[in-house]
Amino acid sequence: MKKTLAKVNTRIGFFILLIILFWLKTIYAYFTDFSLGVEGLLQFLLLIANPIATTVLMLGLAFYLKPAKLFYPAIILLDILDTVLLYLNVIYFREFTDFMTVSTMTGYSKVDQGLSGSSIALTSPHDVFYCLDIVVIILLLLFRVIKIDKHQLGAKVAFAIFSIGSLLLTLNVAIADMDRPQLITRTFDRSYIVKYLGLDFFTVYDGIQTHQSNEMRSNATKSEVYKVKDFTDKHYAPANPQMYGSLKGKNVIILHLESFQQFLINKKINGKEVTPFINKIYNSKHTYSFDNFFHQVGQGKTSDAENMLETSTYGLPQGSLFAQLGSDNTFQGAPAIMDQKGYSTAVFHGNVASFWNRNNTYKNLGYQYFFDASYYDTSGDKATGYGLKDKLLFDDSTKYLQHLQQPFYAKYITVTNHFPYDLDSEDSKDNKIKVPDTDDDAVNNYFTTAHYLDQSVKEFYDYLNKTGLAKNTVVMLYGDHYGISNSENSSLAPLIGKNSDDWNGYDNAQLQRVPLMFNSPAINNGYVDHTYGGEIDVLPTLMHLLGMNSKKYIQFGTDLFSSKHDQVVAFRNRDWVSPKYTSISGTIYDTKTGKIIHPNAKLSKKIEKMQRKVNTEISLSDILNQQNLLRFYHPKGFKTVNPSDYNYSNGLSREEKIEKQLGDKSTSLFDENGHKNTEKLYKTDAPEATKPKSKTNRIQITNPDSNKE
């Protein structure tokens, strides 16, 4: 024991101790919290060894500091910073099954969020081990069990440590490249970089990639946008003549169903339908429904879904496009297109405006109005940490909706069906759904909050029917992304008739299905469409239904009703699904049976062609957005959005002026109703709606969506 302490009492000994402790907790994270898919002895050995080189280089920086007394504070600080990076990735991985990128870190700072709020629900008792060693080391230093070595080591020692670390890292990279050729130069799943080279290496590598992307953006030229336009022109699918303009002039209401997956449709738990009203819409003759419609979001989750629906371009490979580029990019999205076609445009969302940078992005998209949490009473138990509860959002938005000039394009972003799927007892007392009894509370409670969302949608529909808005409106309902993450799918499996022991990547891909519905009384030949499509396809589909030609715009999606629609659905990580084949991490499955296929030479060429198309499409979308190429492209008749035209703090002052100016010609619901307020026509059973406003106990909306959205 004395000999061990004697060694630790030297700077080199203390340095080695910290390396060993950090290595141990990194390995602990690898096997406890990260799913890295290690295959074979070589990958296992690389996984065990990869934290050593980067930790030597990181902590070795302390040897360069002078005077000597700075060594111990510096090396402990470096250890703490590396531990924070490790733990943030642990929390992040539990939800996203992915690692934090530099874009993610900087993006969440822009939305005033970071990893907080609902991340508390992602913590685990064993997390104490990630910081316990640092606490013990500091205490041992304070109580002089470990003594401080005041001997200053020379520059030769610092250089020797750097050389050893560099040699180990070079050896690590070389062996990794033997097992996975072109690991660094080609684009792989981020887990490959971590699995072979470690988390610190990935973070530095990603930082370099991000810098190069920023450089590329600043050097972009006008000619590059025409390469993208050439692809979208060739990819364009002309409208179905029978569908084109069939909903022309209708109001558009988008119901953004938070975390709503396709398996909820027609699903029964203990003999009770989870979403009976949405099921009724889905199966109605007044609805075009899609059962092979997939979410395609990346790390931006809800903001990625919004971006795809509004612009028909993909989210970013890292982070959120809204957060990273929304303040500066030029968009040619649905709000501006609708505005320039005579539509009023608005978003209703009971969360703070800054989350996902919406307050800036919506202006660049061309939304005239954004009613965020500041427009609602979120006091007491009327809101969760995610924003105003859905029933109250729909109810309290009527005061604004009734003043919009028709036709309007309005989006409602719901939040109550949101991880960790908590619902107040008062809100769930009339819930007829008896939750399942799996080993995962998030899976169990998911069905309860989904049922609450269903009730909310029914109340809103009742209002649309009472006021007469329904007859002149198309309501588009869609699920934005998964509710049950991949890490929880094994608990979900028995509830959807699957064996958790046989669960694989194909099953995860199938659960990317979310519902899409176009519902209107004007539709009398509704049906469930089995066409394969994704969120990227919504904008051209909607535009064609409204009688608007989408060809002049740069859009990567194609009309779902077109005979030329492309049914290869690309995912953000470049996996894909199609009616016949599914490609997940390079493994090919038969889409109908889920069985692995080993393609012959002819089929391999076909698969490779499909993969090249997916890669090209996503790469061009990334180039378009990352280089802000739309600033160079000006479709005929489209006016570039000026974000300074919009001020979201002014409420409906602009709309009320329009009502007065138009007089009897005003098309707002308020004027059509004889200048009578329609708020009383809205009926809700939300218990909070009958309670007086609370002046105290105002809930702080902390935007935990950064983890689950």
Side-chain angles (χ1 to χ4, degrees), residues 546-598:
L546 297 175
M548 302 177 188
N549 193 343
S550 67
K551 188 172 184 179
K552 66 181 179 181
Y553 298 100
I554 292 179
Q555 298 176 353
F556 289 92
T558 56
D559 186 342
L560 290 163
F561 295 110
S562 173
S563 60
K564 301 295 184 181
H565 167 67
D566 183 0
Q567 293 196 74
V568 178
V569 184
F571 297 149
R572 178 57 263 188
N573 63 358
R574 301 180 186 236
D575 289 341
W576 49 269
V577 297
S578 73
K580 288 187 176 181
Y581 309 110
T582 295
S583 176
I584 305 297
S585 299
T587 301
I588 309 302
Y589 299 88
D590 183 308
T591 299
K592 292 184 178 179
T593 66
K595 294 182 179 179
I596 294 176
I597 297 175
H598 301 286

Side-chain angles (χ1 to χ4, degrees), residues 49 83 181 523:
T83 298
I523 298 171

Side-chain angles (χ1 to χ4, degrees), residues 135-428:
V135 174
V136 172
I137 288 292
I138 292 174
L139 289 174
L140 291 176
L141 283 169
L142 289 175
F143 288 100
R144 301 182 184 277
V145 177
I146 295 177
K147 294 180 173 57
I148 292 177
D149 180 7
K150 296 181 180 180
H151 181 256
Q152 175 75 54
L153 297 177
K156 290 183 178 180
V157 174
F159 181 73
I161 290 172
F162 174 79
S163 299
I164 292 171
S166 299
L167 179 62
L168 290 172
L169 182 59
T170 302
L171 185 62
N172 191 168
V173 172
I175 297 174
D177 197 63
M178 290 169 54
D179 192 59
R180 175 63 67 174
Q182 298 179 302
L183 173 66
I184 298 176
T185 55
R186 293 179 62 194
T187 302
F188 285 94
D189 189 294
R190 283 179 282 276
S191 65
Y192 277 90
I193 301 292
V194 176
K195 177 167 61 177
Y196 282 100
L197 302 173
L199 189 58
D200 285 345
F201 185 96
F202 163 72
T203 304
V204 174
Y205 168 81
D206 176 68
I208 294 171
Q209 294 289 95
T210 301
H211 174 71
Q212 291 174 343
S213 177
N214 291 338
E215 287 291 308
M216 180 175 59
R217 179 183 176 89
S218 64
N219 295 325
T221 60
K222 186 176 182 178
S223 61
E224 294 177 78
V225 75
Y226 293 104
K227 297 177 183 177
V228 181
K229 186 64 168 68
D230 182 60
F231 174 86
T232 57
D233 282 347
K234 293 176 180 177
H235 191 227
Y236 173 77
N240 180 331
Q242 295 179 332
M243 305 294 287
Y244 188 81
S246 59
L247 299 175
K248 186 174 183 178
K250 300 294 183 185
N251 298 316
V252 178
I253 294 177
I254 297 175
L255 298 188
H256 177 112
L257 306 179
E258 170 65 39
S259 304
F260 197 101
Q261 294 179 245
Q262 177 68 23
F263 68 77
L264 286 171
I265 298 295
N266 298 326
K267 179 67 181 174
K268 291 184 178 181
I269 295 292
N270 296 315
K272 300 290 185 180
E273 287 184 280
V274 179
T275 58
F277 185 74
I278 293 177
N279 294 346
K280 182 179 178 181
I281 297 172
Y282 182 85
N283 297 301
S284 170
K285 70 174 183 178
H286 299 300
T287 305
Y288 300 128
S289 302
F290 292 84
D291 61 358
N292 288 314
F293 180 77
F294 293 79
H295 81 74
Q296 299 164 286
V297 305
Q299 292 179 344
K301 302 303 284 296
T302 285
S303 66
D304 277 2
E306 288 188 77
N307 173 69
M308 280 185 278
L309 263 73
E310 309 281 30
T311 72
S312 194
T313 68
Y314 291 92
L316 298 179
Q318 304 163 0
S320 161
L321 188 146
F322 271 31
Q324 297 300 312
L325 307 176
S327 298
D328 305 311
N329 262 26
T330 298
F331 296 103
Q332 294 167 6
I337 294 170
M338 299 297 171
D339 181 4
Q340 294 175 33
K341 293 291 184 180
Y343 278 69
S344 302
T345 59
V347 182
F348 303 94
H349 183 39
N351 204 343
V352 294
S354 62
F355 185 58
W356 287 131
N357 197 30
R358 285 186 175 108
N359 54 331
N360 294 310
T361 306
Y362 283 166
K363 291 177 182 178
N364 280 322
L365 282 168
Y367 269 113
Q368 297 168 356
Y369 307 102
F370 177 24
F371 301 100
D372 70 302
S374 66
Y375 285 91
Y376 304 101
D377 174 19
T378 59
S379 62
D381 52 3
K382 294 182 179 178
T384 67
Y386 315 97
L388 192 67
K389 294 176 181 177
D390 297 344
K391 290 183 180 180
L392 301 177
L393 173 70
F394 287 123
D395 185 5
D396 293 351
S397 295
T398 56
K399 67 184 73 148
Y400 309 119
L401 181 68
Q402 66 181 344
H403 288 290
L404 294 180
Q405 291 295 307
Q406 301 182 68
F408 55 71
Y409 175 87
K411 177 168 64 175
Y412 286 81
I413 302 177
T414 63
V415 299
T416 309
N417 188 45
H418 195 297
F419 180 86
Y421 312 112
D422 290 331
L423 198 63
D424 291 342
S425 57
E426 284 188 320
D427 291 311
S428 59

Side-chain angles (χ1 to χ4, degrees), residues 415-578:
V415 299
T416 309
N417 188 45
H418 195 297
F419 180 86
Y421 312 112
D422 290 331
L423 198 63
D424 291 342
S425 57
E426 284 188 320
D427 291 311
S428 59
K429 65 181 180 181
D430 295 326
N431 197 318
K432 298 178 181 179
I433 300 299
K434 184 180 179 182
V435 299
D437 185 24
T438 73
D439 59 357
D440 192 315
D441 287 340
V443 173
N444 299 336
N445 296 333
Y446 177 67
F447 297 96
T448 300
T449 52
H451 186 68
Y452 176 93
L453 174 57
D454 182 77
Q455 293 173 325
S456 306
V457 172
K458 182 181 185 304
E459 290 179 353
F460 182 60
Y461 259 80
D462 289 343
Y463 170 80
L464 295 179
N465 288 318
K466 288 178 183 177
T467 59
L469 270 180
K471 67 178 182 293
N472 194 40
T473 298
V474 54
V475 180
M476 191 189 88
L477 305 93
Y478 86 106
D480 61 342
H481 55 73
Y482 65 81
I484 306 302
S485 64
N486 287 350
S487 61
E488 298 162 328
N489 283 342
S490 59
S491 298
L492 173 69
L495 299 177
I496 56 176
K498 298 287 292 186
N499 186 337
S500 58
D501 293 333
D502 298 330
W503 197 271
N504 57 24
Y506 167 83
D507 298 302
N508 287 335
Q510 293 305 302
L511 280 188
Q512 287 195 217
R513 281 186 171 92
V514 291
L516 173 67
M517 297 164 252
F518 296 96
N519 171 253
S520 174
I523 298 171
N524 288 302
N525 61 337
Y527 61 96
V528 177
D529 195 316
H530 306 307
T531 299
Y532 276 64
E535 291 166 333
I536 203 77
D537 300 312
V538 170
L539 180 56
T541 304
L542 178 62
M543 287 182 65
H544 289 175
L545 287 172
L546 297 175
M548 302 177 188
N549 193 343
S550 67
K551 188 172 184 179
K552 66 181 179 181
Y553 298 100
I554 292 179
Q555 298 176 353
F556 289 92
T558 56
D559 186 342
L560 290 163
F561 295 110
S562 173
S563 60
K564 301 295 184 181
H565 167 67
D566 183 0
Q567 293 196 74
V568 178
V569 184
F571 297 149
R572 178 57 263 188
N573 63 358
R574 301 180 186 236
D575 289 341
W576 49 269
V577 297
S578 73

